[in-house]
Amino acid sequence: QVQLVDSGGGLVQAGGSLRLSCAASGRTFNYYTMGWFRQAPGKEREFVAAIWSGGTTYYADSVMGRFTISRDNAKNTVYLQMNSLKPEDTAVYYCASDLFSRATVDPRNYQYWGQGTQVTVSS
């Protein structure tokens, strides 16, 4: 069993920044693939960014160059630094973990999910 706790969301003006955090339980955190996904009202959940156990990162085209995913294995925490935020980034953001350490962006391959944190970007 893995528990994920998301935090760091809030209200920010366009062009601003936020850093999301996701604290995970589990003694083998460093082996997990960790991902961030988001869901806007009336839309399906979509991939944002992922980081594999070895540190390789992958981003959706819509956030490339603006968002950075990172992990601190000593703290069992993954981060999403979001810069140059746009109104279209408004959504509930979820972190998720894949215990099978796959290089995957498909949400169906992630077994555990955080509760979500709201990010609202005003224009």
Side-chain angles (χ1 to χ4, degrees), residues 40-56:
K43 295 187 177 181
E44 292 187 354
R45 190 168 298 189
E46 66 173 358
F47 168 76
V48 175
I51 184 165
W52 320 143
S53 58
T56 300

Side-chain angles (χ1 to χ4, degrees), residues 60-79:
D61 289 344
S62 59
V63 306
M64 183 80 70
R66 300 188 297 122
F67 291 10
T68 302
I69 188 171
S70 61
R71 65 193 299 160
D72 185 337
N73 290 333
K75 296 182 178 180
N76 277 19
T77 301
V78 63
Y79 304 98

Side-chain angles (χ1 to χ4, degrees), residues 9-13 18 85-87 89-91 93 118-122:
L11 173 63
V12 64
Q13 289 188 331
L18 283 174
L85 282 161
K86 305 175 181 180
D89 294 318
T90 295
Y93 284 70
Q118 176 71 47
V119 171
T120 303
V121 184
S122 63

Side-chain angles (χ1 to χ4, degrees), residues 10 14 17 19 21 23 34 40 47 49 55-56 58 61-62 72 92 97 101:
S17 298
R19 188 177 82 154
S21 299
M34 298 298 297
F47 168 76
T56 300
Y58 190 77
D61 289 344
S62 59
D72 185 337
V92 177
S97 64
S101 306

